[in-house]
Amino acid sequence: MALNVFGGSPADVTADSNGSVIGGVALKVYTSALGGQQVTELYDTNGAPLAGVVVSGTTGDETGRVAFQASDQYQILYLDAGYGMRWAIPAREAFAAASTALSKSTAALAAAQEAQDIATVSGVKADLAKAEVDAKLGFDITKLSPRYVTTLRTPSNRVLQSATRDPLTGNYYAAQAGPANGSSTDLHITRCAPDGRMLDQCIFAGGGHGSTVAIENDGPNVWLWFRWTYDTTGSSFTNRMVRAQYQPGTTVLRDDPLVSEVPDFADNTLVDFAIDQASDRICERVFVSTTRERFVLRKLSDYKAGRNQPIATLITDDSQTGVNPYQGHVSIDDYLYVARGGAGFDAPNTITRYRWDTGVKTLIDVDRTAAMPDGTFPEGYNEIEGVSLWRGPGGTPSLLFGKAIGSAYYRQSPIYAFNPPAGDDLVGETLRRIGQKERGYAYITPTAADTATSVQVTFAREFDTVPHMTVTPDSNVPGPWVKGVSVSEVTTKGCLIWLTRYNTTRTGIYWQADAS
């Protein structure tokens, strides 16, 4: 049986939470980042069989080192130390085969060399970067169109502010600013299934706006990174960056033991976070002025250990920054992506791509994404809300962004993705047609007592399908006086509403049509 070699590079070592190299860590080997099959037929680098797991080195220069062999049917495998995440480790032989194939295309070879250069400059997890050569070749956002993914069933009375996706479960964590609380707002985080169904919710009292909420997996728990605005327990502003555990069905206070401050390298200014845990990266956005923002890229492990060691820094200073409100950011490979736009601000919805090393920028227009077939938006409300990274089971990155459309109590939160052609399938439920709800108020004066009398209701916009109708009398004497309210002849264009009363008093009827 032919074998491939996995690991053995300077980046392939086991470390503790402080970043210190440790040996003797037992690692199970799997065929996928999630699920998959465990691989137990393993060999050391000399070809001697291993006991079903890989153990990092324990002596001398080999301390912490991970290197092993497995069947050449595997091009990439995943190591699991029992911490809740798996570490992608590609075969060395796969790189050689990829280089041979890429040499047949000048453009492909140039892209592969670019990926190799980036990995060399970063000096961290070079193997991960090499394993994602295919993703880099296919991930040019300027040549892709956004694809609909799903619609999050968040409470419709509040506007989506951002949404990020759990890399382990595929669930979404959607942020909405709640009602005022102590000179700030409560931060409502709703967890939704991959198909958009609401699962549960956690409220952070005084937590703030939620324009960007980053996600981190730590074992079975999900931790959220954001700027907590107001301490309701101490009745004071904090504006501190925190790491808080998501606790379903709970209202979390600032002094909760599962809320802790994180290092403040920005000196307590307005800060937003984006995390790519698979590549050990955290990207910090610092508000400098109305026209200037500073973005700093670091290793997540460095940040958590209190080490202020930036990998890259980029300052935006252009007219767009001042005109379009900030709506979120994320770093993927060589690029920083910043979402901007606003409903009612005459500010189009855009995503600006900046190259980290040169600052060269490209503007991507997503203003019309999520529009109805006639090109309009319900009540004219259309606002980009957040931008985030999703790596599917194969590690391929996709750029996700949300939209808020429709009026209060009828708002929807669709999610879209720029997804590489060979990337993971992100398509969720069928898109609900935007605006397929309507409500109104009609009066009926009965022609006679105890006689059913109708009024014709015509919808403002024709529905795609026949809607469900709900009718309620506006009366404090239901039963003895208002004997019945009903509908009939419901079509995509309208319906008849019927009223029967004990007398002939003019009565108002609330109605709602819903085909979503």
Side-chain angles (χ1 to χ4, degrees):
M1 177 179 64
L3 300 176
N4 279 347
V5 178
F6 295 81
S9 79
D12 296 315
V13 295
T14 52
D16 60 20
S17 59
N18 294 320
S20 301
V21 174
I22 58 173
V25 178
L27 303 156
K28 294 181 180 179
V29 181
Y30 289 89
T31 59
S32 175
L34 292 172
Q37 300 295 318
Q38 183 178 354
V39 179
T40 57
E41 189 173 357
L42 306 169
Y43 304 85
D44 66 17
T45 53
N46 295 319
L50 298 176
V53 296
V54 177
V55 180
S56 60
T58 57
T59 60
D61 293 340
E62 295 300 313
T63 299
R65 186 65 58 86
V66 177
F68 65 97
Q69 297 186 85
S71 170
D72 64 356
Q73 68 177 298
Y74 305 117
Q75 304 301 307
I76 183 170
L77 292 171
Y78 298 84
L79 302 182
D80 191 334
Y83 301 144
M85 290 195 68
R86 294 178 184 175
W87 164 24
I89 187 166
R92 297 179 189 174
E93 290 79 5
F95 302 154
S99 297
T100 301
L102 291 175
S103 64
K104 298 178 181 180
S105 168
T106 302
L109 180 60
Q113 184 60 54
E114 180 185 5
Q116 179 62 57
D117 292 342
I118 294 165
T120 302
V121 171
S122 69
V124 179
K125 292 189 179 297
D127 287 341
L128 178 62
K130 292 175 185 176
E132 292 171 1
V133 166
D134 287 342
K136 290 178 181 295
L137 291 177
F139 196 76
D140 182 352
I141 192 174
T142 64
K143 298 179 181 179
L144 300 174
S145 298
R147 297 171 54 200
Y148 170 75
V149 179
T150 191
T151 296
L152 304 183
R153 301 293 203 249
T154 54
S156 61
N157 59 324
R158 298 188 180 94
V159 180
L160 176 72
Q161 299 299 332
S162 63
T164 187
R165 198 172 187 191
D166 186 337
L168 296 184
T169 65
N171 291 333
Y172 293 89
Y173 289 78
Q176 294 174 294
N181 190 343
S183 300
S184 182
T185 57
D186 291 337
L187 176 59
H188 291 235
I189 303 292
T190 301
R191 178 164 56 179
C192 297
D195 64 3
R197 290 175 295 107
M198 178 177 173
L199 299 177
D200 44 48
Q201 190 176 70
C202 180
I203 299 174
F204 298 93
H209 196 68
S211 57
T212 296
V213 176
I215 189 172
E216 178 198 0
N217 296 102
D218 191 349
N221 300 314
V222 168
W223 295 78
L224 305 174
W225 292 55
F226 60 93
R227 178 171 54 87
W228 197 305
T229 306
Y230 190 82
D231 183 357
T232 58
T233 59
S235 300
S236 61
F237 283 98
T238 60
N239 283 327
R240 302 296 295 180
M241 286 65 72
V242 301
R243 178 180 183 264
Q245 183 175 313
Y246 181 86
Q247 303 175 57
T250 303
T251 295
V252 180
L253 303 180
R254 180 63 183 83
D255 59 357
D256 188 287
L258 296 178
V259 177
S260 60
E261 291 188 7
V262 298
D264 183 11
F265 299 132
D267 192 22
N268 195 27
T269 55
L270 302 183
V271 174
D272 297 280
F273 295 114
I275 290 175
D276 178 9
Q277 198 167 352
S279 61
D280 192 29
R281 294 290 185 269
I282 182 170
C283 183
E284 176 188 69
R285 178 245 185 190
V286 181
F287 176 84
V288 179
S289 70
T290 55
T291 59
R292 288 174 65 87
E293 302 163 303
R294 182 171 70 251
F295 294 89
V296 184
L297 186 65
R298 296 181 177 88
K299 292 172 59 178
L300 177 61
S301 54
D302 281 345
Y303 201 107
K304 293 178 65 175
R307 295 187 291 266
N308 187 6
Q309 299 177 350
I311 296 172
T313 300
L314 190 149
I315 296 178
T316 64
D317 187 4
D318 54 47
S319 58
Q320 184 192 177
T321 306
V323 173
N324 284 7
Y326 164 83
Q327 298 291 356
H329 75 281
V330 69
S331 176
I332 304 178
D333 299 324
D334 316 331
Y335 296 99
L336 167 71
Y337 298 86
V338 183
R340 298 188 178 98
F345 293 94
D346 293 326
N349 291 262
T350 62
I351 298 174
T352 306
R353 184 186 72 175
Y354 299 89
R355 188 174 175 92
W356 274 110
D357 56 355
T358 64
V360 172
K361 65 183 180 181
T362 304
L363 194 66
I364 299 97
D365 183 1
V366 294
D367 196 56
R368 309 313 299 170
T369 302
M372 293 189 297
D374 62 3
T376 64
F377 294 90
E379 290 76 39
Y381 198 97
N382 165 41
E383 186 172 31
I384 188 170
E385 303 290 359
V387 62
S388 61
L389 165 66
W390 161 253
R391 292 187 187 273
T396 304
S398 295
L399 184 74
L400 304 180
F401 66 94
K403 278 289 189 88
I405 47 183
S407 61
Y409 294 94
Y410 292 89
R411 299 199 193 281
Q412 294 193 56
S413 304
I415 301 296
Y416 290 83
F418 286 97
N419 198 34
D424 303 295
D425 185 12
L426 294 179
V427 176
E429 61 164 0
T430 302
L431 175 62
R432 294 184 293 166
R433 173 177 161 82
I434 307 307
Q436 288 293 276
K437 289 184 179 180
E438 192 173 324
R439 58 184 175 179
Y441 192 87
Y443 284 104
I444 299 178
T445 302
T447 57
D450 296 318
T451 301
T453 305
S454 67
V455 65
Q456 176 69 49
V457 169
T458 301
F459 303 137
R461 183 184 297 115
E462 183 175 357
F463 284 76
D464 289 341
T465 59
V466 176
H468 299 287
M469 296 297 303
T470 302
V471 290
T472 304
D474 184 4
S475 174
N476 61 1
V477 289
W481 298 98
V482 178
K483 294 186 173 183
V485 179
S486 64
V487 295
S488 69
E489 300 181 33
V490 182
T491 70
T492 58
K493 297 182 179 181
C495 68
L496 289 177
I497 299 179
W498 295 84
L499 168 71
T500 303
R501 281 189 65 107
Y502 177 76
N503 53 23
T504 59
T505 301
R506 184 172 182 251
T507 304
I509 308 293
Y510 292 101
W511 61 267
Q512 178 171 299
D514 188 345
S516 59

